[in-house]
Amino acid sequence: LPRKTWVIIRVDGKGFHTFTKHLERPYSQPLADALDAAACFVATQMAGFAFAYGQSDEYSFLLSDFGRDDSRMWFDGSVQKIASVTASLFTAAFHKAYANPGYAAFDARVFPIPNRGEVEKYFLWRQADATRNSLNMLASTHYSHAELLGKSAAEKHDLLHAKGENWAKYPADFKRGRVVRPNENGFTADREIPIFTREPGYLDALIPRAD
């Protein structure tokens, strides 16, 4: 990886459609809790960790090597080392946090982002995906795939209202995702995050600035 840049490591569940098919729908709090615990643990192991954003079965970690002139990227920027260690640490921590999980595995991909504006756009994209995923998950608990095929987001909301369901009343972390960030005691998962486009200062405060 190049020096003095922002780096994303996105961890994603492998085959989680099968793994989660017996879980409570539309949202399994124990699963989310275990994912958050795994992210908090991995954050403790990362050099240059800024924050992580989680939704569905994924977590995106933001690292940077801004700071002193001699600051170095985690594992000296070795992509293969960063990806393999992150995936293995996350998988191990998830299994420790989640009771009787059967077999779960996570992969990881690593990529640099050349400027701060693009970092912001990346997390806006992932939160938009979280909103879309949560609506689809809720709708699919009441309607078949064929009934939802080709339906817009507005139409899915109307279908849910017809069933007495209101997506807006579901927990914030289900609709918008969670953020793992440093605090005075280590790391914590924030489950009441705002909509990033409505409160841009929240995301802006998390993304490191270049020296």
Side-chain angles (χ1 to χ4, degrees):
L1 293 170
R3 287 206 60 199
K4 300 299 181 184
T5 192
W6 298 265
V7 171
I8 298 288
I9 309 166
R10 186 161 76 240
V11 175
D12 215 344
K14 181 180 181 296
F16 256 53
H17 178 74
T18 300
F19 179 76
T20 60
K21 65 181 179 181
H22 298 302
L23 298 183
E24 180 183 357
R25 294 167 66 89
Y27 191 51
S28 170
Q29 193 64 60
L31 179 68
D33 291 346
L35 291 166
D36 292 348
C40 286
F41 171 73
V42 173
T44 68
Q45 306 299 303
M46 288 176 159
F49 172 82
F51 77 99
Y53 172 77
Q55 61 104 357
S56 186
D57 63 343
E58 70 172 51
Y59 248 100
S60 294
F61 297 83
L62 178 64
L63 308 185
S64 76
D65 58 347
F66 304 123
R68 304 185 315 272
D69 288 342
D70 60 350
S71 295
R72 302 299 296 270
M73 187 61 71
W74 195 32
F75 293 119
D76 289 330
S78 170
V79 171
Q80 184 169 338
K81 187 84 169 180
I82 291 171
S84 62
V85 170
T86 301
S88 62
L89 287 173
F90 198 98
T91 300
F94 175 82
H95 274 268
K96 185 175 181 179
Y98 192 63
N100 302 315
Y103 174 76
F106 296 84
D107 62 38
R109 65 205 72 185
V110 181
F111 47 94
I113 297 184
N115 65 71
R116 196 171 182 273
E118 291 302 314
V119 175
E120 181 181 2
K121 288 180 182 178
Y122 172 84
F123 287 104
L124 294 177
W125 168 53
R126 297 322 299 149
Q127 190 177 63
D129 189 65
T131 298
R132 182 171 56 252
N133 283 341
S134 65
L135 176 60
N136 289 339
M137 183 65 74
L138 182 58
S140 69
T141 64
H142 297 281
Y143 294 94
S144 68
H145 175 74
E147 291 172 317
L148 295 173
L149 190 63
K151 295 291 191 295
S152 67
E155 289 171 324
K156 290 173 184 176
H157 281 294
D158 289 341
L159 288 170
L160 286 169
H161 287 309
K163 295 283 189 178
E165 282 278 24
N166 187 346
W167 173 86
K169 292 184 177 180
Y170 274 76
D173 59 325
F174 172 60
K175 297 180 294 182
R176 299 196 284 269
R178 295 98 61 202
V179 163
V180 164
R181 57 191 302 177
N183 67 8
E184 62 276 9
N185 299 316
F187 298 92
T188 188
D190 183 356
R191 294 180 174 172
E192 295 289 335
I193 66 173
I195 298 171
F196 294 152
T197 54
R198 293 185 183 177
E199 295 186 30
Y202 181 92
L203 192 57
D204 182 69
L206 294 173
I207 301 173
R209 296 183 181 277
D211 294 334

